[in-house]
Amino acid sequence: MKNRKFPFGYRMEQGKAVIDQREAEIVTAIFRQYTTGASYLNLVRMLKAQPVPYDTGRQWNKNMVARILEDERYIGKEGCPVIIESDLFRQAAQKRSTKQLPSWLTEAQKVLRRLSGQKVNKEDERRILTLLNSLVESPEIIQQPAQVIALHHTEKQESELEAVMESQPIDEDEARQLILQIAAAKYEAIPAEEYETQRLRHIFAKAEKMEELDAELMKSTISEIRIKSDSITIRLKNNQTIERRVLA
């Protein structure tokens, strides 16, 4: 049986986790297919039909799939190389939490769980409500996140450009082409992001101060909520993040 000190997708080399390419491709397929609609049963059937085992001598089962989908080491935790991008991991977490939502939750509480990927206690609900009411009172807080645009639309090209510039001799034609691609991507991104920023300002300007969380407002304005012991952060649909620190 394979040593499982490291999760499926990695192997040990000189005491460290390195990516096992064949297994990592399966991990990626599991996350992508799960987030696009595949059930645990669908995934197990797929995995049984291919030759790579989770553990030698054992057939794939739902517990193995669940273990993979829940393991944060795939996004680089605990010293493991990144196999799964954080956004894809969060999408899977949100889908898992949605499937497990109790029927007695209010619609707003269900939306909170989908956006945060976790249970949200009453105190954190109150903090999120306060944060959203601050946007109702001051919609001008919502700003165009220029730095986010550049990262979101040009990350791949900028990495390629950096590699070209570090190579000697520098391929000037390739560097010039990448620079033009980056500039074009930033230019094309601006209108969509500006529209979203204006749309969000309009929604919050029209909204009235809330006594309780509004499910429809959250669904139409928020992409993600991150809850930590010392802060609440929301990511709006225009990719702007707004944080509220939790006082001790």
Side-chain angles (χ1 to χ4, degrees):
M1 183 179 296
K2 183 173 179 176
N3 187 317
R4 281 293 166 212
K5 179 179 179 181
F6 297 115
F8 183 84
Y10 302 101
R11 66 176 184 273
M12 187 189 301
E13 284 188 5
Q14 299 179 344
K16 294 183 179 180
V18 298
I19 292 175
D20 183 308
Q21 194 58 45
R22 190 166 68 153
E23 291 186 359
E25 289 174 1
I26 293 171
V27 171
T28 302
I30 288 171
F31 274 90
R32 286 179 177 166
Q33 294 196 32
Y34 180 70
T35 55
T36 55
S39 66
Y40 280 24
L41 182 58
N42 297 146
L43 291 169
V44 169
R45 286 174 178 165
M46 174 198 76
L47 293 163
K48 284 181 177 179
Q50 54 84 45
V52 181
Y54 182 89
D55 278 328
T56 303
R58 295 180 61 195
Q59 284 198 328
W60 281 89
N61 59 48
K62 291 181 181 179
N63 289 334
M64 295 170 183
V65 172
R67 211 170 295 144
I68 287 172
L69 289 170
E70 295 169 3
D71 200 326
E72 292 187 338
R73 286 174 287 186
Y74 292 122
I75 58 174
K77 298 291 182 70
E78 298 181 26
C80 289
V82 173
I83 291 178
I84 300 299
E85 294 298 323
S86 296
D87 283 347
L88 182 58
F89 188 89
R90 281 195 293 271
Q91 289 173 31
Q94 288 170 1
K95 182 180 176 182
R96 293 200 317 275
S97 66
T98 300
K99 285 182 172 295
Q100 299 166 1
L101 293 180
S103 59
W104 47 262
L105 288 176
T106 67
E107 186 61 28
Q109 288 170 330
K110 291 177 182 178
V111 173
L112 279 179
R113 288 203 187 186
R114 293 186 189 111
L115 291 171
S116 66
Q118 65 184 71
K119 294 179 180 179
V120 181
N121 61 41
K122 291 295 184 182
E123 183 60 24
D124 285 334
E125 283 187 34
R126 184 188 64 78
R127 289 168 177 146
I128 293 166
L129 177 63
T130 300
L131 194 157
L132 292 176
N133 274 333
S134 71
L135 296 179
V136 171
E137 293 172 354
S138 303
E140 66 274 10
I141 292 172
I142 302 170
Q143 298 290 329
Q144 176 72 15
Q147 291 183 344
V148 175
I149 291 174
L151 176 63
H152 179 70
H153 292 278
T154 66
E155 183 176 358
K156 182 174 182 291
Q157 291 97 329
E158 287 178 349
S159 295
E160 292 175 356
L161 177 60
E162 183 177 353
V164 169
M165 298 302 288
E166 289 177 353
S167 300
Q168 296 297 329
I170 295 173
D171 187 331
E172 293 184 2
D173 289 338
E174 184 176 2
R176 187 179 300 107
Q177 183 177 1
L178 286 167
I179 290 169
L180 291 173
Q181 288 175 1
I182 291 168
K186 289 180 180 179
Y187 178 80
E188 290 173 3
I190 289 173
E193 297 286 355
E194 283 184 349
Y195 168 81
E196 195 63 24
T197 297
Q198 294 300 323
R199 185 186 72 85
L200 291 170
R201 284 182 184 170
H202 180 69
I203 290 173
F204 280 103
K206 286 182 61 179
E208 296 182 358
K209 187 173 180 180
M210 296 172 283
E211 296 295 328
E212 58 184 32
L213 288 166
D214 184 323
E216 290 305 316
L217 182 138
M218 288 192 293
K219 285 192 287 187
S220 65
T221 62
I222 301 174
S223 295
E224 180 189 10
I225 297 174
R226 296 183 185 180
I227 301 173
K228 297 182 180 179
S229 60
D230 62 347
S231 66
I232 301 284
T233 304
I234 64 171
R235 181 162 62 88
L236 298 173
K237 296 275 189 183
N238 69 341
N239 282 321
Q240 180 183 3
T241 57
I242 300 176
E243 182 181 69
R244 178 180 175 83
R245 304 298 297 181
V246 175
L247 299 178

